[in-house]
Structure formats: structure tokens, C-alpha cells
Amino acid sequence: MSAPNDAKRTLHIDPYEKNWMRISIILVIVFAAAVTVAGFALGFQVPSPEERVDPNNLTGPWENPGLRELSPGVYELYVIGNATTWQFEPRDVEIPVDSTVTIYVTSRDIQHGFKLQDTNINMQILPGQVSKLTHVFEEAGEYPYICTEYCGVGHAAMFGNLTVVEK
Amino acid sequence: MADEQETEAEAEEFHPRGTVAILVMFVLAIIILWGSVYVILLSRGVTV
């Protein structure tokens, strides 16, 4: 005893639709592979929470934000976003070429952003959280940094400049 | 009944060339734009 409607029960998918699904799956696989290679094989990292701080009582290196030389060519840069003065602290930084700079960011008040032009450094600045990224500056020039999070009426004034000079 | 079968047969034979062309352009645009951003990411150096 066979079912008379067996042929109608099979799912019909148009060949064009099948091909579109195949292309979509291949694209997802290629994108995932590219991101995996960049992250794990080449070492590209996204900023992660480094530590927690009290935004109302920034102590230690945050009392005097700016550049610190750890050894020749190796620096730490502490940057604070401040919505009271609508500026980054510090606003201007100068380093020699081929320097390795680890940038730490946090906020005194509200959420900001920190994007260093022409590099892969792009971080959220959150009150109470420190984020960090390290970059090697192999080319001399101006690297402006800007707030990428609309933080209030003074948002447009939140910018600074990192200058890489020849040795 | 005969008309229904005829309509189904016509639908099976229909090839939407214009739609396929637009989708091919769309896929190529995604690949080119995404690929160029990926190359820019790689050229800017590693962040750790």
C-alpha cells in the first residue's frame, strides 16, 4: 500500500536557490577562516578588559596620564577620556619611529571611543574599565586619535595627536 | 488540469537572467569590499 502523494511531499528547491545557498555558505566559511587566520595565526587581537578601576578615584599611573618609557623604544601610554573638559588626557604625544607602544585607556565619566587613525587601534573607553592594545609605529608621521562614540555636546572637540618622529 | 501542468512546466523552464546578474554583482561587491578591508587590516600591522 503506497501513499498516493509521496511525490508531492518531497521538498522542491529551485536550482538557483540551491546555488545561492551554496554561495552563501562558502562566503561564511571564507570569512570565518580569514578572521581565524588573522586572530590566531597572524596575531591580530581585539582589545579586552585589562583591569577594573574606580572612575571617581583614578590612582597609580592614571594620576599622571601620558607617555612612559619602559626601555629604549618601548613605551606605555595612559589615556583618559574626560567629558568635563571634553578632551583626551594627554592631547599630544610624541614618540620616535620604530617604537612599541602599549596604549591603556579608561574614562573618568561616560563612554567614549579611541581610534588611532591609520592603525588597527580602535577601542571603547568605558568608565571603570581599562582596555589596552599594543602597536609598533614603523612609519614617521602624524597619527590623530579621535573619539568614535558620541559622548555629548563636546564630542567633536575630543581629539588628539600622536606624532612619530625620525630618530 | 492541463493548463495547470502547462503553467508549472513554464515556471520550471524560466531562467531569471537579470536577477542572477544582479546577485553575481552583489556577491562580487561583497567579496571585493570585504577583501579590500581585510588587506588594509593586514597592511596596518599586528595589534596585541
Side-chain angles (χ1 to χ4, degrees):
Chain A
M1 190 173 164
S2 63
N5 294 326
D6 273 356
K8 288 182 181 176
R9 284 180 187 167
T10 57
L11 178 64
H12 171 75
I13 302 175
D14 188 272
Y16 287 105
E17 199 171 353
K18 274 185 188 170
N19 286 333
W20 183 243
M21 285 192 283
R22 287 188 189 112
I23 291 170
S24 303
I25 291 168
I26 290 169
L27 281 178
V28 169
I29 291 170
V30 169
F31 293 167
V35 171
T36 305
V37 167
F40 293 99
L42 302 176
F44 285 83
Q45 296 296 311
V46 293
S48 56
E50 176 69 8
E51 63 172 319
R52 299 285 178 185
V53 290
D54 179 3
N56 296 315
N57 183 28
L58 293 175
T59 57
W62 300 107
E63 289 176 18
N64 185 23
L67 196 66
R68 287 168 178 74
E69 186 173 15
L70 302 179
S71 63
V74 181
Y75 297 86
E76 282 181 341
L77 174 61
Y78 289 84
V79 179
I80 300 175
N82 190 337
T84 306
T85 56
W86 301 109
Q87 63 178 12
F88 288 111
E89 307 167 31
R91 203 162 192 170
D92 290 293
V93 181
E94 189 175 298
I95 56 167
V97 74
D98 289 330
S99 294
T100 302
V101 183
T102 301
I103 301 173
Y104 297 85
V105 295
T106 192
S107 170
R108 287 194 192 279
D109 32 54
I110 58 173
Q111 185 173 355
H112 300 281
F114 181 87
K115 177 168 173 52
L116 193 60
Q117 298 291 93
D118 301 326
T119 72
N120 288 331
I121 292 177
N122 189 355
M123 295 185 268
Q124 289 286 304
I125 304 182
L126 300 169
Q129 178 179 298
V130 176
S131 300
K132 80 162 190 178
L133 275 177
T134 302
H135 184 75
V136 181
F137 292 88
E138 295 174 339
E139 288 182 23
E142 304 277 327
Y143 295 80
Y145 47 90
I146 57 170
C147 178
T148 50
E149 194 72 37
Y150 181 69
C151 52
V153 290
H155 168 68
M158 288 204 65
F159 57 87
N161 198 48
L162 187 148
T163 307
V164 180
V165 295
E166 296 287 353
K167 287 179 182 173
Chain B
M1 189 70 176
D3 287 347
E4 279 179 18
Q5 285 174 349
E6 203 170 295
T7 311
E8 280 180 18
E10 281 174 9
E12 288 296 321
E13 288 171 8
F14 178 67
H15 298 292
R17 290 191 186 85
T19 304
V20 170
I22 290 170
L23 288 180
V24 167
M25 286 191 287
F26 179 67
V27 170
L28 286 177
I30 287 176
I31 292 171
I32 291 169
L33 292 172
W34 200 92
S36 65
V37 170
Y38 191 68
V39 169
I40 290 171
L41 172 89
L42 298 185
S43 70
R44 285 179 171 177
V46 172
T47 48
V48 237

